[in-house]
């Protein structure tokens, strides 16, 4: 088996999707001045609800919709705690992650009566889309075509978010809130409303990211299956400096690592080391972040 | 007197959260269709029902308490150390390897193992601390990512070079420690071991350090107002690094006492699956990082877990009931910040315009 070939790019595109979607969600929150550590939990909840939705409705579209909705409900909890109750967003984010892990594990036992993982051989995963014309082009067709619809949605979301931020009035307002909430409020902007809007949108994106994880890639749910992807998404968001196109680029880096670590398992390396790769490279990548990170704790305190 | 007042004040909110957590648990139990009162009775019996169960609860509280103490020190200094899991696991595996392969009498093995566990845990925490100080890499993220690396590396050590190949070898684990290097049990036949005493001593020591030493004062100043602390001549980086080292060292000790007092070997996953690190984080948050409060909260959280095992033995309610209750607990604890804020605002009696 070759380490680098064209199909690696294809699996990179598949792996990048959940990270990209969650990172875009994180960017929305970061742009309104909220550091959302709960991405991991929101994605996990989405992954679980997608499987539940698929199991009970048998309709994949509904399953993805349910995943997005349930994650939105969770993100509303996050919004309520951070905005309305003014709780520390990092603590709430960590709590959301716990709650997601506890509830999904509990519900896995309560709904399906299994421990560890739920797998149903009759359950259909997301279909692959073969783009009519492009699919027939030799190399590019194999890379670009034949992914689940959510993969295309993720890339579309990045572009849409770019348009939203830099071409729409609401987008400008969101950016203004992030830059200076006090000034934004004095201009008569509904700061709280815009913050809630951003958190809810990030919830929906995370839910869809979870659906891609559980239905687009493997068609099963395992306890804690996000395995830190939510945190990697946070890093991708920081590296991309909350700019949709920057996030697209940094997510690609992490997707490539994810795909590489799976590919490397075919070689006789200990699996622990190949599994370590994304985390090690994330840390290496953070050396290039320098002080452009979104966590300016002192700065944040003064504006709240 | 003031200390008691402060302690009871910091315990009021957690108790309220516990009540809300239990109410949520009741909802979940009802959703599964079991008797709420019966389930909670089983939970109480599983945690405190007999002397044996009570000591099991204390044994489970031991690593949780040590981790919580370490984290509380970091929190007090205003830094988020989310890497306790990795620090604990690396400490545990180093302690196991040192006390297995060091050619020395039992007593020295115990001391060397504990020293190794604390040192490795401490240095593993120091590394992200250094990265934050030198390269401004956010501690919050780096400590988290370090968990995965540490757990995977420890897992590699016991599946490849140091694996016990004498037995059936179904589990990835090291060989057993010599009996002379085991930490003694506190009561014959019960699971609570000397590590529990270490945890209590650590709590008292930390209480003393935070309250009566210059270092404790620096930590407190830094946590409350880092700008003012630096203006006052406190070296932020030095205090942060010391805090991280002590924090990781305590997490390493938590892993070490589990290895030397409970399993007598390092078993892959034996420390991560019960979620000691995250429960420790919750215990620290619940107690508002008060060292003496942590003694109470870690026993409480351990009781939820051992109690839930009793529930699973005797009813149809899954073990994960405990994790749901814990998560709700922590969510309501996080609202405490707002509660304080609300009180302050009320005291001022004014309404704020403009600024959030």
């Amino acid at each position: 088996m070759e380490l680098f070939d064209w199909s690696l790019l294809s699996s990179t595109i598949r792996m990048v999707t959940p990270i990209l979607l969650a990172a875009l969600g994180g960017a929305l929150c970061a742009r309104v001045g909220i550091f959302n550590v709960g991405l991991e939990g929101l994605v996990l909840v989405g992954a679980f609800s997608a499987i539940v939705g698929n199991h009970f409705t048998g309709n994949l579209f509904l399953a993805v919709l349910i995943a997005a909705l349930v994650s939105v409900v969770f993100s509303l909890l996050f919004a309520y705690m951070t905005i309305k109750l003014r709780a520390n967003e990092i603590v709430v984010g960590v709590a959301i992650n716990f709650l997601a892990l506890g509830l999904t594990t509990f519900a896995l036992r309560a709904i399906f009566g299994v421990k560890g993982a739920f797998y149903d051989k009759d359950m259909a995963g997301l279909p692959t889309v073969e783009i009519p014309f492009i699919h027939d082009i030799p190399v590019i067709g194999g890379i670009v075509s034949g992914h689940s619809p959510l993969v295309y949605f993720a890339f579309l979301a990045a572009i849409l978010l770019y348009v939203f931020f830099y071409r729409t009035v609401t987008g400008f307002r969101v950016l203004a809130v992030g830059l200076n909430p006090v000034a934004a409020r004095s201009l008569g902007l509904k700061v709280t409303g815009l913050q809630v809007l951003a958190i809810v949108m990030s919830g929906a994106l995370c839910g869809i990211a979870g659906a891609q994880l559980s239905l687009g890639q493997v068609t099963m749910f395992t306890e804690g299956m996000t395995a830190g992807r939510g945190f990697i998404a946070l890093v991708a968001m920081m590296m991309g400096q909350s700019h949709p196109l920057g996030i697209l680029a940094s997510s690609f880096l992490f997707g490539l690592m994810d795909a590489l670590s799976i590919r490397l398992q075919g070689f006789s390396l200990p699996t622990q080391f190949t599994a370590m790769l994304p985390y090690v490279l994330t840390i290496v990548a953070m050396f290039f972040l320098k002080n452009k990170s979104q966590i300016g704790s002192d700065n944040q305190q003064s504006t709240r | 007197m003031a200390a008691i007042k402060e302690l009871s004040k910091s315990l009021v909110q957690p108790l309220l959260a516990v009540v809300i957590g239990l109410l949520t648990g009741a909802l979940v139990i009802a959703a599964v269709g079991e008797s709420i009162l019966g389930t909670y009775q089983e939970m109480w019996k599983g945690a405190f029902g007999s002397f044996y169960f009570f000591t099991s609860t204390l044994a489970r509280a031991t690593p949780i308490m040590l981790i919580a103490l370490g984290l509380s020190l970091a929190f007090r200094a205003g830094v988020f150390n989310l890497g306790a899991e990795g620090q604990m696991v690396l400490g545990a595996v180093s302690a196991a390897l040192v006390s297995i392969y060091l050619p020395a009498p039992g007593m020295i093995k115990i001391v060397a193992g504990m020293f190794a566990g604390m040192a490795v845990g401490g240095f593993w925490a120091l590394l992200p601390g250094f990265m934050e100080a030198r390269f401004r890499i956010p501690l919050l993220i780096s400590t988290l990512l370090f968990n995965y690396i540490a757990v995977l590396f420890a897992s590699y050590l016991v599946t490849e070079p140091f694996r016990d190949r004498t037995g059936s070898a179904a589990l990835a684990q090291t060989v057993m420690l010599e009996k002379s290097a085991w930490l003694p049990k506190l009561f014959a036949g019960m699971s609570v071991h000397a590590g529990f005493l270490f945890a209590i001593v650590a709590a008292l020591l930390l209480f003393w350090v935070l309250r009566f030493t210059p270092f404790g004062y620096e930590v407190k100043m830094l946590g409350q107002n880092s700008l003012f602390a630096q203006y006052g001549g406190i070296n932020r980086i030095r205090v942060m690094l010391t805090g991280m080292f002590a924090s990781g060292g305590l997490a390493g000790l938590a892993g070490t006492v589990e290895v030397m007092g409970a399993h007598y070997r390092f078993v892959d996953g034996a420390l991560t699956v019960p979620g000691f690190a995250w429960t420790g984080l919750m215990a620290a948050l619940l107690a508002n990082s008060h060292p003496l409060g942590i003694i109470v909260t870690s026993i409480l959280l351990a009781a939820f877990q051992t109690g839930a095992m009793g529930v699973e033995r005797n009813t149809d309610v899954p073990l994960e009931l405990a994790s749901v209750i814990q998560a709700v607990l922590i969510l309501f604890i996080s609202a405490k910040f707002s509660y304080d804020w609300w009180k302050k605002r009320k005291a001022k009696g004014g309404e704020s315009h403009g600024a959030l």
Side-chain angles (χ1 to χ4, degrees):
Chain A
M1 196 157 114
E2 288 283 323
L3 183 55
F4 292 100
D5 57 16
W6 291 116
S7 72
L8 181 70
L9 272 182
S10 174
S11 52
T12 297
I13 289 180
R14 234 182 352 265
M15 304 309 268
V16 87
T17 305
I19 298 173
L20 175 60
L21 283 168
L24 291 174
L28 268 163
C29 292
R31 287 289 186 168
V32 291
I34 289 165
F35 190 68
N36 191 346
V37 195
L39 295 179
E40 176 90 0
L42 295 175
V43 175
L44 188 64
V45 164
F48 182 73
S49 342
I51 287 285
V52 172
N54 194 8
H55 183 76
F56 288 108
T57 65
N59 183 322
L60 284 165
F61 179 75
L62 278 179
V64 174
L65 200 66
I66 288 170
L69 281 179
V70 176
S71 287
V72 164
V73 170
F74 263 76
S75 69
L76 279 174
L77 187 64
F78 179 84
Y80 182 76
M81 301 298 270
T82 51
I83 299 172
K84 183 80 182 163
L85 294 182
R86 282 154 221 271
N88 182 313
E89 58 212 40
I90 291 172
V91 176
V92 179
V94 172
I96 291 275
N97 290 340
F98 284 136
L99 192 62
L101 192 61
L103 271 182
T104 51
T105 313
F106 184 87
L108 193 66
R109 290 288 308 277
I111 297 176
F112 298 115
V114 292
K115 236 182 161 149
F118 174 73
Y119 174 75
D120 179 357
K121 65 176 166 37
D122 299 326
M123 191 186 277
L126 290 171
T128 55
V129 179
E130 294 183 348
I131 308 170
F133 178 66
I134 297 171
H135 185 67
D136 298 325
I137 305 173
V139 173
I140 299 170
I143 297 170
V144 174
S145 178
H147 294 293
S148 85
L150 294 185
V151 171
Y152 301 110
F153 173 78
F155 289 97
L156 189 66
I159 297 165
L160 283 179
L161 197 63
Y162 178 83
V163 174
F164 173 71
F165 275 156
Y166 300 106
R167 296 285 181 275
T168 69
V169 177
T170 319
F172 282 134
R173 286 182 178 156
V174 165
L175 295 183
V177 169
L179 287 173
N180 192 336
V182 179
R185 177 156 299 196
S186 71
L187 285 174
L189 294 182
K190 292 186 173 61
V191 171
T192 313
L194 287 169
Q195 283 179 330
V196 173
L197 174 77
I199 293 176
V200 164
M201 277 163 69
S202 98
L205 286 171
C206 286
I208 295 169
Q212 163 68 12
L213 213 53
S214 65
L215 286 180
Q217 293 180 359
V218 285
T219 326
M220 66 186 291
F221 178 83
T222 48
E223 279 172 25
M225 72 184 300
T226 41
R229 282 195 184 79
F231 296 115
I232 291 187
L234 269 186
V235 180
M237 168 207 106
M238 286 156 60
M239 245 177 96
Q241 289 159 32
S242 301
H243 190 290
L245 302 183
I247 289 170
L248 196 62
S250 56
S251 301
F252 245 95
L253 183 69
F254 296 119
L256 184 66
M257 291 312 136
D258 237 2
L260 256 183
S261 84
I262 289 172
R263 174 73 53 104
L264 277 169
Q265 283 171 17
F267 296 77
S268 53
L269 280 166
T271 50
Q272 286 93 354
F273 286 114
T274 57
M276 233 183 252
L277 193 67
Y279 308 112
V280 172
L281 278 151
T282 305
I283 289 169
V284 172
M286 287 205 303
F287 278 94
F288 300 101
L289 272 169
K290 293 295 174 189
N291 50 13
K292 285 174 181 162
S293 80
Q294 297 291 321
I295 324 176
S297 50
D298 299 331
N299 182 27
Q300 225 159 46
Q301 289 295 325
S302 60
T303 53
R304 302 198 96 219
Chain B
M1 197 60 214
I4 297 169
K5 209 173 166 190
E6 191 200 330
L7 181 64
S8 62
K9 200 180 126 202
S10 63
L11 280 178
V12 167
Q13 183 82 18
L15 286 177
L16 202 70
V18 168
V19 173
I20 295 171
L22 288 176
L23 286 177
T24 317
L27 276 177
V28 175
I29 296 164
V32 187
E34 284 277 327
S35 145
I36 295 168
L37 221 59
T39 307
Y40 278 137
Q41 262 170 6
E42 288 295 339
M43 191 174 234
W44 175 263
K45 272 194 243 162
F48 301 114
S50 70
F51 189 63
Y52 178 77
F53 286 140
F54 177 60
T55 58
S56 305
T57 302
L58 293 187
R60 200 178 176 90
T62 304
I64 296 171
M65 202 182 293
L66 284 167
I67 286 170
L69 290 170
L71 294 181
S72 72
L73 183 62
F75 290 162
R76 287 233 166 182
V79 286
F80 262 87
N81 173 13
L82 295 186
E85 186 154 281
Q87 292 145 20
M88 167 182 69
V89 168
L90 271 195
V93 77
S94 324
L97 293 179
V98 164
S99 57
I100 289 168
Y101 295 103
L102 186 77
M107 201 54 215
I108 295 181
K109 280 187 176 216
I110 292 184
V111 174
M114 283 175 48
F115 181 76
M118 293 211 294
V120 170
F123 280 114
W124 189 247
L126 204 55
L127 199 57
F130 173 75
M131 279 161 48
E132 150 105 31
R134 179 77 181 74
F135 300 105
R136 294 180 141 246
I137 290 173
L139 207 57
L140 183 78
I141 306 280
S142 59
T143 50
L144 262 169
L145 293 169
F146 269 48
N147 281 340
Y148 294 95
I149 295 172
V151 170
L152 285 166
F153 183 67
S155 162
Y156 163 75
L157 285 181
V158 295
T159 40
E160 295 287 336
F162 296 108
R163 186 180 191 139
D164 174 15
R165 299 188 192 276
T166 53
S168 58
L171 275 173
Q173 56 187 19
T174 63
V175 293
M176 217 172 220
L177 272 64
E178 269 172 50
K179 215 160 191 165
S180 59
W182 293 7
L183 284 179
K185 298 280 185 203
L186 294 183
F187 306 99
M190 304 289 163
S191 43
V192 64
H193 50 83
F196 182 71
L197 295 183
F198 296 159
I200 298 286
V201 170
L204 296 174
L205 200 67
L206 192 62
F207 177 70
W208 177 78
V209 165
L210 287 175
R211 184 162 280 270
F212 297 112
T213 65
F215 176 72
Y217 176 73
E218 288 183 350
V219 164
K220 195 175 156 191
M221 287 312 297
L222 198 61
Q224 284 180 349
N225 189 336
S226 77
L227 283 179
F228 180 72
Q230 285 180 70
Y231 178 72
I234 291 171
N235 186 339
R236 190 187 81 87
I237 289 174
R238 193 179 56 82
V239 176
M240 189 267 279
L241 289 180
T242 319
M244 280 303 281
F245 183 77
S247 178
L250 281 165
L253 182 63
T256 305
V257 298
E258 271 302 284
V259 162
M260 301 180 91
H263 306 293
Y264 307 126
R265 60 179 10 148
F266 180 82
V267 188
D268 190 20
L271 295 169
T272 47
V273 172
F276 287 135
W278 297 112
T279 316
L281 178 71
M282 290 193 229
L285 288 173
L286 265 172
N288 198 17
S289 299
H290 190 294
L292 302 183
I294 283 172
I295 299 181
V296 179
T297 55
S298 30
I299 293 175
L300 180 83
L301 292 182
F304 274 125
Q305 296 178 352
T306 48
M309 288 178 202
V311 168
E312 188 165 72
R313 274 195 301 272
N314 300 320
T315 67
D316 288 333
V317 181
L319 182 68
E320 283 73 23
L321 174 66
S323 43
V324 174
I325 295 181
Q326 282 179 5
V328 173
L329 267 180
I330 203 70
L331 207 54
F332 278 91
I333 283 300
S334 62
K336 174 184 56 161
F337 297 93
S338 63
Y339 172 77
D340 289 345
W341 170 87
W342 183 72
K343 264 198 324 200
K344 248 180 243 160
R345 182 177 152 154
K346 230 180 121 182
K348 258 194 236 159
E351 220 189 301
S352 63
H353 289 287
L356 279 175

